[in-house]
Amino acid sequence: MIYQRVALIGLGLIASSMAHAMRAGGLAGEIVGHARSAETRAVARELFCDRVSETAAEAVAGADLVVLCVPVGAMEAIAAEIGPHLAPGATVTDVGSVKQAVIAAVAPHIPAGVQFIPGHPMAGTEYSGPRSGFATLFQNRWWLLTPLADTDAAALERLTRLLAAMGANVDTMDPPHHDLVLAVVSHTPHLIAYTMVGVADDLRRVSNSEVIKYSATGFRDFTRIAASDPTMWRDVFLTNKDAVLDILGRFTEELFALQRAIRLGDGDHLHAYFTRTRAIRRGIIEAGQDTAAPDFGRAADAKRT
């Protein structure tokens, strides 16, 4: 047992997976949850929480670890609500995929004697909600922590032990650098996926039945990414807009170069470009961050969910 009482605020995929992983490893004495929806609270009480509270303030009382698993746009309101009720010596962390905005929203509401250690699990599926979690979600996946200048070393080490015990590879990163890296590897790819699915929806020359019927090609992968929670991604783009716009500008430059190569029939340029980018995929597989299976491991994920 690493923490006596863990409070999970927001009970979707990440929180439910954390609860399952902590239960499987005996890592927490008690898991307390809170969600705005009564239906979500009922599911959490049935499946993975020892106790569920109707308010976030009640949920965090006496907890030595509080995990904020709400959309980035809701972080400030939740932090303001729970701040006065946090126990001295407790640690607060979050799972938002943007860090500078979360720090600005949450840190002012954390009282003296409580540690705030921002975090971000690089794990997920296209599924959401309290029934979507599973204990192995974080196995061999990166969990990035962005500790603040005054973060207590013992609190950081304790949280790191918990995340590692759930199967995660833990690393630390500077908040601005985190947001730039995530704009490259996650945020902009999601925006492109949403855009491509939107383009297909707008092209009335292609019927809906044809889009679905032939989606075993590359379009299917865009739809899988674009099925992610819309509230979460709205908040991500609004709070990490500078980094996303920077990477979108670079993407546009690359796209123009490819357009020119296609227009001019420059096969050598296209072949060289695709050869270089294919190596990225091989590197991801070699790093253990994905599988070379034809379905990219979706069948295994579906069984777990």
Side-chain angles (χ1 to χ4, degrees):
M1 186 185 303
I2 298 175
Y3 290 98
Q4 181 60 42
R5 180 180 295 169
V6 176
L8 302 172
I9 309 302
L11 299 172
L13 169 67
I14 298 297
S16 57
S17 295
M18 288 186 70
H20 288 304
M22 287 187 287
R23 276 192 162 182
L27 307 177
E30 182 184 27
I31 300 173
V32 183
H34 163 72
R36 291 183 304 172
S37 163
E39 180 181 357
T40 298
R41 294 196 298 269
V43 173
R45 186 180 294 109
E46 173 193 353
L47 295 182
F48 53 84
C49 279
D50 299 304
R51 183 161 52 87
V52 177
S53 300
E54 291 190 7
T55 68
E58 179 184 341
V60 305
D64 44 358
L65 176 65
V66 176
V67 188
L68 306 181
C69 303
V70 298
V72 172
M75 290 283 184
E76 184 170 12
I78 287 292
E81 178 183 350
I82 67 174
H85 305 277
L86 295 168
T91 293
V92 176
T93 188
D94 76 292
V95 301
S97 68
V98 176
K99 294 275 70 78
Q100 293 180 95
V102 167
I103 292 169
V106 174
H109 302 285
I110 303 299
V114 174
Q115 293 292 313
F116 175 43
I117 308 176
H120 176 208
M122 302 282 288
T125 71
E126 65 264 44
Y127 304 105
S128 59
R131 296 187 184 277
S132 60
F134 51 95
T136 58
L137 177 65
F138 310 112
Q139 288 291 329
N140 200 33
R141 294 293 178 258
W142 288 101
W143 199 306
L144 301 178
L145 297 176
T146 60
L148 308 180
D150 60 350
T151 295
D152 178 72
L156 177 61
E157 188 275 335
R158 188 182 184 189
L159 178 58
T160 299
R161 279 195 291 123
L162 173 73
L163 305 180
M166 293 193 297
N169 304 317
V170 185
D171 203 357
T172 59
M173 191 174 285
D174 178 71
H177 186 63
H178 168 279
D179 289 355
L180 179 62
V181 169
L182 265 293
V184 175
V185 303
S186 177
H187 302 167
T188 304
H190 273 80
L191 190 62
I192 293 168
Y194 279 116
T195 304
M196 193 61 235
V197 174
V199 167
D201 184 54
D202 289 339
L203 286 175
R204 300 306 180 185
R205 292 170 296 173
V206 180
S207 71
N208 288 336
S209 62
E210 286 176 317
V211 168
I212 295 172
K213 180 178 180 180
Y214 301 120
S215 64
T217 55
F219 183 73
R220 176 195 60 183
D221 298 314
F222 280 122
T223 62
R224 181 177 64 86
I225 296 172
S228 301
D229 181 68
T231 299
M232 179 187 78
W233 284 103
R234 176 202 64 193
D235 291 351
V236 164
F237 293 124
L238 292 178
T239 54
N240 197 29
K241 60 182 179 181
D242 290 340
V244 169
L245 290 172
D246 179 18
I247 301 305
L248 274 177
R250 301 186 190 200
F251 171 78
T252 301
E253 292 173 3
E254 295 281 307
L255 188 60
F256 283 153
L258 290 175
Q259 285 178 314
R260 185 174 187 276
I262 294 170
R263 185 181 302 110
L264 298 178
D266 189 348
D268 290 341
H269 178 88
L270 294 173
H271 187 271
Y273 192 92
F274 299 153
T275 299
R276 177 165 58 87
T277 55
R278 183 172 66 169
I280 299 294
R281 174 66 188 170
R282 291 175 175 173
I284 291 172
I285 295 171
E286 290 171 1
Q289 295 304 300
D290 208 339
T291 170
D295 67 349
F296 300 103
R298 291 189 193 88
D301 282 342
K303 289 179 181 179
R304 286 195 293 264
T305 56

